[in-house]
Amino acid sequence: MALFIPEITLVAIAAIVILLDLFIEQKRWLAQVSISGLVIAGGVTIAMWGGSYPAIFSNMLAVDNFALFFKVLFLGVAFLVILSSTDYVSKFSRFQGEYYALVLLATLGMMLMAATTNLIAIYIALELTSISLYALVGFLKDKKSTEASLKYLLLGAIASAVLLYGMALVFGFTGKTQLGEIAQVLQTLPPMTLLASPGLLMGIVLLVAGFGFKIAAVPFQMWVPDVYEGAPTPITAYLSVASKAAGFAVILRIFFSAFGMPEWLSQNWGLIFAALAVLSMTIGNITAIPQANIKRMLGYSSIAQAGYLMVGLAAMGMASGGSILGQSGVLFFLTSYAFTNMGAFIAIIAISSKLDSDLIEGYSGMGKRAPLLALALTLCLISLIGMPPAAGFMAKFYIFSAAVNHGLLWLVIIAVINSVISAYYYLRVVKVMWLGEAASAEKVPSSGALRLALFLCCIGVLLLGIIPGFAMRLAQLAASMFVY
């Protein structure tokens, strides 16, 4: 039970926050209690790093470095989300307790997703995360937010049904729900037996489709622009970073642990992810170009970023367990993307709150009105393009190197072309901020908590871009479980 302390801490803090909300007048304490819980859970998780722990709860939850890596990532993102929400929560001041509690519970669900090694447990953790996010998206209770929440709920329910059907087919063929036991069954079967089992292959395809929705990959991305635009901006940031990272954590664990062998099967799902990567990068970037709303633009951008991440998954499939370049590249990319996208959205929270609009044209002259916010947003957009010295450059370098090493040069060429395309719409925002005429000389205010969150993100973007060695070493240690 001691290995479950981070998760227990989050449940306890969520309950305390809800109870405190009933009795205290100063609601700002709710954010501070939530942050305290995240810090405690994070400290305990970091203390477990490098230990040799057994799996817990009848081998349903792993306590390996891979799970710990993602737990720290999710706790860090939740920390930044709550820190940057301290100004924004005035828009739903009556429900602050529920807001913070749901963020904590969604984080708990993501931590479980990264640690689970059983199909049933994965599905339960996924639903805990999803239900919390459905509610958070509709927190503004206006027309756009309600519509976004309803659309997210309906499409998410369909994706969950598809995922569950895929799991049922895999269980029906193998008779197992434990990932390691599924792998043992598959490895004992001759290739022709697997090829003669359309049910199993359909199950794998449905798993790809179900998780494709969670990571916003094409053609399962239709919910992204409306949900990103309608959700409260801190929750949009949370969705774009933590939810996507949780989806990739589960994909990495399932497709390595259950379908990593035999080699021909691994290479086939690797090619599926390569095809999805091309579609996601191309469609995401092209549809982002004409967007006038910055949240919708970053929504389409996140689809393209999912495509870059799937280049790493394709490399993982082609490596067949003999190399961890693709996996460690994905982990590093997710870390750098967390700092980058959180930083971009935190700057947008401050600027859009002042403008009361998310239109890009409203950002004109922001370099004069709020130079530090504009500078931070510029740094994050440069990182999203993949330009040095920001973290995005090193993230793409590691993933593209892994793909080239495993014979996917054609995929890397397409990814580089897409990075060039993305520069057009990212730099358009930079141009508007620094070369456009300001509509007024009025300054853009921001709280100390928001400025601290933005500062941490910018420092993270620069450190990962200039001295990536330490973070990459942690990613390699976390990905070492992927070596047969």
Side-chain angles (χ1 to χ4, degrees):
M1 188 57 74
L3 300 176
F4 205 54
I5 287 178
E7 288 82 358
I8 294 173
T9 303
L10 286 191
V11 174
I13 294 297
I16 290 171
V17 166
I18 291 175
L19 290 174
L20 279 178
D21 189 35
L22 298 175
F23 299 107
I24 63 173
E25 293 290 333
Q26 297 293 328
K27 303 298 182 186
R28 61 187 174 84
W29 286 105
L30 300 177
Q32 296 179 13
V33 171
S34 302
I35 287 174
S36 301
L38 291 169
V39 171
I40 293 170
V44 175
T45 306
I46 292 172
M48 293 179 184
W49 180 266
S52 179
Y53 304 109
I56 55 177
F57 300 126
S58 303
N59 293 326
M60 296 185 82
L61 290 179
V63 196
D64 49 25
N65 284 343
F66 179 80
L68 296 175
F69 182 93
F70 275 100
K71 286 180 183 180
V72 173
L73 180 64
F74 298 142
L75 290 167
V77 172
F79 175 85
L80 292 171
V81 167
I82 291 179
L83 209 56
S84 61
S85 297
T86 49
D87 294 348
Y88 200 91
V89 289
S90 61
K91 296 187 177 184
F92 39 80
S93 55
R94 289 177 54 204
F95 309 105
Q96 290 187 38
E98 292 89 337
Y99 175 82
Y100 292 124
L102 284 170
V103 170
L104 294 173
L105 292 176
T107 305
L108 169 66
M110 293 174 192
M111 291 167 65
L112 293 175
M113 284 173 67
T116 47
T117 58
N118 183 287
L119 292 179
I120 298 172
I122 288 171
Y123 184 76
I124 293 172
L126 183 68
E127 288 306 295
L128 173 60
T129 305
S130 299
I131 291 171
S132 302
L133 292 176
Y134 298 150
L136 286 168
V137 168
F139 242 72
L140 289 177
K141 298 185 182 298
D142 57 17
K143 184 180 176 182
K144 277 188 176 178
S145 182
T146 304
E147 181 182 333
S149 181
L150 184 60
K151 180 175 286 188
Y152 193 32
L153 170 65
L154 294 176
L155 293 177
I158 294 171
S160 293
V162 169
L163 185 66
L164 192 58
Y165 193 46
M167 290 179 174
L169 287 173
V170 172
F171 171 72
F173 183 82
T174 62
K176 306 290 183 184
T177 57
Q178 198 71 21
L179 299 182
E181 294 176 353
I182 292 172
Q184 290 174 4
V185 172
L186 294 182
Q187 289 174 38
T188 58
L189 298 175
M192 289 309 295
T193 305
L194 285 172
L195 290 173
S197 305
L200 173 65
L201 299 179
M202 179 59 72
I204 295 174
V205 171
L206 291 179
L207 288 179
V208 173
F211 288 122
F213 176 88
K214 302 302 177 185
I215 63 174
V218 174
F220 317 106
Q221 86 295 354
M222 64 292 289
W223 60 276
V224 170
D226 292 337
V227 172
Y228 275 39
E229 183 181 2
T233 306
I235 299 306
T236 306
Y238 194 48
L239 277 173
S240 72
V241 174
S243 178
K244 193 182 293 290
F248 275 99
V250 176
I251 290 173
L252 284 168
R253 192 180 284 280
I254 286 184
F255 280 84
F256 169 79
S257 300
F259 308 122
M261 293 292 283
E263 186 174 336
W264 67 269
L265 180 62
S266 167
Q267 292 182 348
N268 275 297
W269 59 252
L271 289 176
I272 292 176
F273 281 117
L276 292 178
V278 173
L279 290 173
S280 299
M281 289 186 292
T282 307
I283 295 177
N285 280 322
I286 290 176
T287 49
I289 290 174
Q291 300 302 318
N293 183 300
I294 197 165
K295 286 171 72 176
R296 289 183 74 89
M297 187 201 80
L298 288 178
Y300 284 111
S301 154
S302 81
I303 296 169
Q305 298 291 335
Y308 300 128
L309 281 159
M310 281 189 288
V311 172
L313 293 183
M316 169 185 166
M318 304 309 286
S320 303
S323 166
I324 59 168
L325 281 176
Q327 298 90 319
S328 57
V330 170
L331 299 191
F332 184 88
F333 195 113
L334 286 170
T335 307
S336 69
Y337 183 66
F339 281 114
T340 302
N341 231 34
M342 281 302 304
F345 273 109
I346 290 170
I348 290 170
I349 289 171
I351 296 172
S352 292
S353 294
K354 177 62 180 177
L355 299 176
D356 198 22
S357 168
D358 294 317
L359 294 178
I360 294 174
E361 64 182 17
Y363 284 58
S364 182
M366 202 51 66
K368 300 183 181 70
R369 296 178 60 185
L372 292 179
L373 288 174
L375 187 62
L377 183 54
T378 300
L379 174 65
C380 294
L381 293 175
I382 286 175
S383 183
L384 286 171
I385 296 171
M387 294 171 62
F393 171 75
M394 295 308 303
K396 288 186 178 178
F397 173 78
Y398 287 132
I399 277 195
F400 293 171
S401 298
V404 170
N405 284 340
H406 297 300
L408 294 171
L409 178 61
W410 62 273
L411 184 56
V412 173
I413 292 173
I414 295 174
V416 171
I417 293 172
N418 270 283
S419 294
V420 175
I421 295 172
S422 71
Y424 177 81
Y425 61 84
Y426 286 131
L427 292 181
R428 179 164 58 106
V429 179
V430 176
K431 177 187 172 187
V432 166
M433 287 194 299
W434 293 102
L435 301 180
E437 290 295 327
S440 76
E442 196 175 357
K443 299 296 182 184
V444 178
S446 57
S447 68
L450 187 140
R451 289 196 295 272
L452 174 61
L454 187 57
F455 173 76
L456 293 175
C457 290
C458 291
I459 289 294
V461 170
L462 286 173
L463 287 179
L464 290 178
I466 297 170
I467 44 174
F470 178 70
M472 189 59 187
R473 179 60 184 154
L474 291 179
Q476 288 172 339
L477 289 173
S480 59
M481 63 162 279
F482 292 108
V483 178
Y484 289 116

